[in-house]
Amino acid sequence: MKTDVLRSSLAAVVLAMAGTQAYAATTVTIATVNNNDMIIMQRLSKQFEAANPDIKLDWVVLEENVLRQRVTTDIATKSGQFDVLTIGTYEAPIWAKQGWLAEITGLPADYDLDDVLKPVRDGLSYQGKLYALPFYAESSMLFYRKDLVEKAGMTMPEQPTYDDVAKLAEKMTDKAAGVYGICLRGKPGWGENMAFLSTLINTYGGQWFDEKWTPTIDSPEWKKAVGFYIELLKKYGPPGAASNGFNENLALFASGKCGMWIDATSAAGKLYSKAESQVADKTGFARAPVAVTPKGSHWLWSWALGIPATSKAQPEARKFIAWATSKPYIERVGKEVGWASAPPGTRASTYANPNYVAAAPFADFVLKSINEANPNDATLKKVPYTGVQYVGIPEFQSIGTQVGQAIAGALAGTTSLDDALKVGQAAATRAMRQAGYLK
């Protein structure tokens, strides 16, 4: 009798332990940016967890500049806080070279990697190997209020110039009504104000470095481009422009406060959604403006999901990022949120989907802009680097942010344009000398 009781007790303990093991979920910690598409991903990820009860997702959602600082510190120090990092075409090849990222292998047979657009795939690869999966990809374009252009008695060219932009901004501005002719990124950061400004500088004939890696921030091309930007925003931009980044300008345009906005093509889905934009039926689009040259006038970027080499949950992390960047996920967003909100720029099948094309009048335009952006030929003069709106070297993250801070100061009126460019030139020269690019 006692033996039977003992056996029953042992059996109960074994079953309890087995049950605990069966339901012990592996936690995957995800660092991501607080952009609209990622907020949707976080919300829909409950479906992933339901289908994978052995995986628990822990989200760390941060503003863009903070995210970049946190994930860079984490991966460089190998502290291993995150299992999935939201990174881009700048970080992926640089970090892969350092051995900081896990190569993306073992994808499900139905993932269809060939469906992912080649410029995006290439941007997330190093030496022919893939190190991140693209969640969405983008170029840049000009959004504008069709009703305000018409009211001004003007037309928006398919390929506007920056002179066109200045004339339109003047006509569209009605500060008494709270409408500003132009909204542009002013928040400092290599991926904030300097993303836009790099394209502006490119099209004005400038570049970050000459062929010998000497910084050119104090050049006439930079002074003309940045001077135009500051004057444009001071005359026709919203108050506090030096604090506005992508999300702030998106909110301003969607609420009817901007006549024009030059920024990421990924914003189109929200601006054309009647549920999220007050000007959905009034929004038009055109190519990113040009000045001296069309080279480098529109950028190429992908927000992607990578796995740090330090992650102890790599199989689970790989399962999640494959789910979040798959064809079925895009279909899920289309059906549950709206086809205009489907993650853009990553897959050929999205642009062949009649549901997406019908809901997104900008679809073909965006696809063409992504395919035309050329990180290997983005400047009028020859340069030793790749990248359109950034320079593909590790030092650029710090250099770009320092220059962005100096220019934001000039926009805010706390320093002069000349002084801002001198500060930027000195900081860049110092950094390049310390890194061994200059003697």
Side-chain angles (χ1 to χ4, degrees):
M1 184 69 176
K2 287 182 180 179
T3 303
D4 291 341
V5 171
L6 182 60
R7 283 175 180 165
S8 297
S9 299
L10 285 170
V13 169
V14 170
L15 284 169
M17 289 176 66
T20 301
Q21 289 171 349
Y23 291 99
T26 299
T27 297
V28 172
T29 303
I30 303 162
T32 196
V33 65
N34 64 342
N35 289 352
N36 187 57
D37 294 84
M38 281 68 173
I39 301 300
I40 293 172
M41 174 174 63
Q42 184 183 8
R43 188 168 79 238
L44 294 182
S45 68
K46 296 187 185 333
Q47 298 175 24
F48 173 84
E49 289 180 304
N52 298 274
D54 58 330
I55 301 175
K56 180 183 180 300
L57 304 177
D58 183 23
W59 291 84
V60 180
V61 183
L62 302 165
E63 185 270 330
E64 186 170 324
N65 284 339
V66 178
L67 170 80
R68 287 188 162 122
Q69 185 179 34
R70 284 280 300 275
V71 299
T72 302
T73 301
D74 180 73
I75 203 161
T77 59
K78 299 182 179 180
S79 63
Q81 292 181 342
F82 305 114
D83 302 295
V84 173
L85 306 174
T86 303
I87 58 175
T89 48
Y90 168 73
E91 295 93 348
I94 293 174
W95 292 2
K97 184 179 180 180
Q98 296 289 339
W100 293 348
L101 294 172
E103 184 187 348
I104 304 299
T105 57
L107 292 170
D110 62 353
Y111 185 80
D112 194 3
L113 192 57
D114 288 338
D115 184 49
V116 177
L117 299 176
K118 189 176 185 300
V120 178
R121 245 182 15 242
D122 290 348
L124 299 172
S125 299
Y126 173 67
Q127 293 187 339
K129 296 178 179 179
L130 190 63
Y131 285 90
L133 295 179
F135 181 65
Y136 71 78
E138 63 188 31
S139 185
S140 53
M141 64 197 288
L142 185 152
F143 301 99
Y144 67 93
R145 286 272 300 278
K146 293 187 289 186
D147 57 325
L148 295 182
V149 171
E150 186 179 344
K151 183 181 176 182
M154 301 178 75
T155 57
M156 177 65 75
E158 183 182 343
Q159 175 58 82
T161 66
Y162 274 104
D163 284 342
D164 294 328
V165 168
K167 291 171 185 173
L168 282 160
E170 180 182 10
K171 294 285 187 181
M172 297 165 86
T173 299
D174 185 354
K175 293 184 180 180
V179 177
Y180 301 91
I182 189 75
C183 290
L184 297 169
R185 297 189 189 193
K187 182 185 289 185
W190 71 265
E192 278 283 8
N193 63 344
M194 295 318 300
F196 167 74
L197 280 167
S198 291
T199 63
L200 182 68
I201 290 155
N202 290 340
T203 195
Y204 266 87
Q207 70 276 336
W208 276 89
F209 303 97
D210 67 16
E211 288 187 271
K212 296 182 179 179
W213 288 109
T214 302
T216 61
I217 296 162
D218 58 355
S219 66
E221 292 88 353
W222 270 72
K223 184 171 183 178
K224 189 170 183 180
V226 179
F228 170 82
Y229 158 84
I230 290 173
E231 184 179 9
L232 192 68
L233 279 175
K234 282 187 174 180
K235 284 183 176 179
Y236 313 121
S243 299
N244 293 340
F246 172 80
N247 282 325
E248 291 81 6
N249 284 320
L250 177 60
L252 283 168
F253 194 100
S255 62
K257 302 293 185 185
C258 302
M260 290 177 291
W261 178 35
I262 305 159
D263 213 297
T265 56
S266 59
K270 184 159 185 168
L271 295 181
Y272 278 84
S273 168
K274 290 182 180 178
E276 300 184 82
S277 171
Q278 296 175 26
V279 293
D281 59 344
K282 300 181 181 70
T283 298
F285 57 86
R287 296 173 67 89
V290 297
V292 174
T293 175
K295 285 190 174 186
S297 59
H298 57 285
W299 68 60
L300 177 65
W301 180 256
S302 172
W303 276 119
L305 303 175
I307 302 170
T310 52
S311 170
K312 293 180 172 58
Q314 290 188 27
E316 294 83 2
R318 190 178 297 108
K319 194 171 188 178
F320 170 73
I321 69 173
W323 174 86
T325 60
S326 66
K327 291 181 190 177
Y329 176 84
I330 293 172
E331 188 86 14
R332 186 174 289 112
V333 175
K335 289 179 178 177
E336 297 185 24
V337 183
W339 277 103
S341 298
T346 59
R347 290 183 171 272
S349 56
T350 302
Y351 292 89
N353 187 320
N355 294 311
Y356 181 70
V357 173
F362 47 83
D364 288 344
F365 180 91
V366 169
L367 182 61
K368 187 177 180 183
S369 295
I370 289 171
N371 284 326
E372 285 183 353
N374 188 353
N376 298 310
D377 186 21
T379 56
L380 188 60
K381 298 173 185 175
K382 289 185 178 180
V383 294
Y385 59 85
T386 60
V388 182
Q389 79 282 19
Y390 57 81
V391 177
I393 58 172
E395 294 76 17
F396 180 73
Q397 187 163 353
S398 172
I399 292 169
T401 295
Q402 289 182 72
V403 174
Q405 289 167 343
I407 291 175
L411 177 59
T414 58
T415 188
S416 69
L417 171 60
D418 285 343
D419 285 347
L421 297 182
K422 284 178 185 176
V423 166
Q425 178 74 7
T429 302
R430 185 167 55 249
M432 296 302 279
R433 188 168 285 128
Q434 288 173 347
Y437 291 84
L438 301 173
K439 292 181 180 179

